[in-house]
Structures are given as C-alpha cells and as structure tokens.
Amino acid sequence: MATPLDRLIHALAKLPGVGHKSATRLAFHLVRAPRNDVDELAAAVRGIKEGLQFCEECLVPSQTPRCAICDDLRRDRHQICVVEEPADLHAIEKSGAYHGLYHILHGALSPLDGIGPDALKVQELLARLQNSAVHEVILATNATVEGEATASYVANMLRVFEMSVTRLAGGLPVGAEVEYVDARTLALALEERRAL
Amino acid sequence: MATPLDRLIHALAKLPGVGHKSATRLAFHLVRAPRNDVDELAAAVRGIKEGLQFCEECLVPSQTPRCAICDDLRRDRHQICVVEEPADLHAIEKSGAYHGLYHILHGALSPLDGIGPDALKVQELLARLQNSAVHEVILATNATVEGEATASYVANMLRVFEMSVTRLAGGLPVGAEVEYVDARTLALALEERRAL
C-alpha cells in the first residue's frame, strides 16, 4: 500500500522536467509547508480543468469564447501563425515580431507516441481558412523531427488554398559563435544562406 | 615579489574560459604532476610559435606554405568561405556541408577593443579575388554584434566584384523548441521565414 508521501512523489514525478529526486524534494517541502499553502495548491491544481475552455477561433486556452488576440481588431487578419502548443504562442508574443493571428495544433506528429494527423487540430485550421482573408500561414512548429514532420504535413494540406505558406527560418541563433554551433545547425545555416 | 605559483596562476587565468579559480586548480595540478609532464607542456607551449606559418592562400596556420585544403584539387575553387578564426574553419569542416575554399580574417571588427578594418585580413581576401575563378563568397562570421558588423564591412568591400556574396542563415538551431528559443532569435526566424 503506497503511503500519501509515495503517491505525492509519484504524481509530482510525472510533471515535465521533474525527476524522482526533485519530486521527493518538492514532496518533503509540502510536508513541512503551512496547511493553507498546501490547500491553496491542491485547489489550484484541481481547478485548472474546471471552467477551462478554448478560443473557438485559434484554440488557445481562454476564459472567454474568443481569446483576447482573436478579439483584438488591431491584429493583422491576413496572417495565421501555426504553433504546436499555447506556450509557443506566448514565446512568439514575447518576441514582439508578430502581429497576426494564431492557430494552436495542440501537439505535433509523433507516430512512435501514437500521435497521428487526427490528433492535431488541422481540420479546424482548414475550416478557418475557408473563405477567410488570410494571405499567409506561417508554420512555427519546433525545429525538431516531430515539428518538421508536422510542418510538412500541414503545408501539404494547405496546397488547395491559394496562399503563401512559410516556415520559421533555421540557422544560427542570435549571438551564436560559429566555432561552438553544432554541426547540423551549421550545415543548415550554410544550405539556407542568404544573399547580401 | 610574485611567487612561481602566483605567476603560473596569473598566466593560466589569461586563457579563454579559465577564471582565477580554474587557473588555481590547474596550477596546483601542475605542482603535483611528474616533472616530465610539466617539461613537456612547457616545451609544447614555447614551441607553438616557433615554426608556425600560415597558408599563403587562406591564412590558416599551416606547416607548409599552402595548407591541405588549398592544395586539395577536389575542393570547389568557385567558393570562398570567410571565417573569423581557424577554429571556425574546423567547425565548418566537421559539418561536412561545405567543399570550397576558406579565408581566415584573423578576427572581427571590435572598435571598443581597438580592432578596426586594418587589423583584419581583408586586403588579402581582395587580392585573392582579383582574376580568380571565385563565383561566391560566403560570409561565415559569428552571429554576434562583431561578426555581423564584420560581415557587413566585408560585403561592402566586395561590391566591386561581380560575384554572389552570401551570409550564413540565422534562425532556429536544429532541434530547437519554439517555447525555449530566445526572443531575438525568434524575431529573426520570423523575419527571415522561407516559403515552403
């Protein structure tokens, strides 16, 4: 029979980036923490799924039927930036370099994990693009194997539309020194080199 | 009066990436190391500058008047890849993505450090390009402020030649996740996005 401590360590260790060791440390912290703080955390965790809805346009988690970005009339409605997860939207917003709309796929293709095209919100994207004012779809999935496969798949599905389909540039990150860049990124930066 | 140990720590701490702490650790290691090893290291350090010459073509350190790459007839003589330092050449060779020639600038523009255009081997590059078979110069300086300034400067100097001048692509490194990429790189990847 697992003790309450075992169950908490087990549950915490399922969080991304939390190993058994960190989970144990966190669990012991909670054992010692004031009752109020622990109850507050428990309630916050339980509450995260209640009342959670998604923007009916871009599918980002939202308290309202349409999210603040989709509702913002100053955003450029000619561009849709397609990302894997809500966290990617936040990263792009922080960059300040994008002023269009978004679409959250809620994942990336990963056959080994059983995530096929039907698990992604691609049909929802295609439906949005029908009779829309969108001129360009920017595929901003990760530069990982799964992200690249997802970008290819979505690009293929978008062929029926007459709009420009683009992909985030790959190459040297800002501040990178050639000497320390990994070989595959260097090969990509050479291959995709641009005219000056 | 500095002790021999102080002098060694001071000299080691001048190496790139070696702080005072690491220098002290290395120095104490050498204090305990066998006499032979220490003499060998001292001789190797002293010898590095003796007999060191540079390839008369690309200016990479070389035991022979022309380096192995410049002498290799299988290399593509239509391309010159311009790098800051010899270590950059080695990184690009390791990527396996480039088969042309190189040119080592031996530095990057850095006005604050007193490194101006005359400190770089740019005139040597211009001389090489006169009446050459070169079609393309690839500017593979770092993606740092100094590297970008150097690339702009060299590109400007190359305007008199009728050849293509390109720059390494900037953007997401291979394997990068959008969520964790820094804001400036994300802005660059958006700006330089490519059509699919």
Side-chain angles (χ1 to χ4, degrees), chain B:
Chain B
M1 187 70 187
T3 66
L5 187 64
D6 289 339
R7 276 200 300 270
L8 179 56
I9 292 173
H10 186 72
L12 288 169
K14 283 182 181 168
L15 299 173
V18 180
H20 189 262
K21 213 163 170 175
S22 310
T24 307
R25 201 175 56 235
L26 291 170
F28 277 108
H29 169 85
L30 289 171
V31 166
R32 286 192 312 268
R35 176 86 201 200
N36 268 0
D37 291 6
V38 175
D39 286 347
E40 207 173 277
L41 177 62
V45 170
R46 199 180 317 111
I48 191 68
K49 286 291 193 182
E50 291 164 14
L52 182 75
Q53 36 183 359
F54 296 92
C55 170
E56 61 192 26
E57 281 289 313
C58 74
L59 306 178
V60 77
S62 168
Q63 304 298 332
T64 49
R66 278 165 61 92
C67 73
I69 291 176
C70 286
D71 252 353
D72 184 345
L73 293 173
R74 290 163 305 181
R75 306 288 303 206
D76 182 347
R77 270 146 219 288
H78 298 112
Q79 288 183 315
I80 287 189
C81 181
V82 175
V83 296
E84 296 180 18
E85 302 289 351
D88 302 330
L89 177 157
H90 292 294
I92 292 173
E93 284 296 289
K94 260 198 303 187
S95 81
Y98 182 68
H99 309 286
L101 303 178
Y102 289 92
H103 188 84
I104 320 283
L105 291 176
H106 287 274
L109 290 179
S110 183
L112 288 179
D113 300 319
I115 304 176
D118 294 345
L120 307 180
K121 306 296 183 189
V122 178
Q123 292 306 322
E124 289 81 349
L125 174 63
L126 301 179
R128 277 181 81 182
L129 294 175
Q130 297 283 6
N131 308 316
S132 76
V134 175
H135 292 336
E136 179 182 6
V137 174
I138 303 171
L139 299 170
T141 53
N142 292 341
T144 57
V145 174
E146 293 81 9
E148 298 291 354
T150 306
S152 294
Y153 173 76
V154 175
N156 232 1
M157 299 296 282
L158 296 179
R159 289 239 176 110
V160 291
F161 297 98
E162 283 192 1
M163 57 183 63
S164 144
V165 178
T166 58
R167 177 88 180 97
L168 289 185
L172 267 52
V174 173
E177 296 175 33
V178 170
E179 178 181 356
Y180 301 112
V181 169
D182 68 285
R184 286 187 308 158
T185 297
L186 213 38
L188 178 70
L190 276 160
E191 196 184 310
E192 300 272 335
R193 66 187 181 273
R194 59 191 162 76
L196 278 189

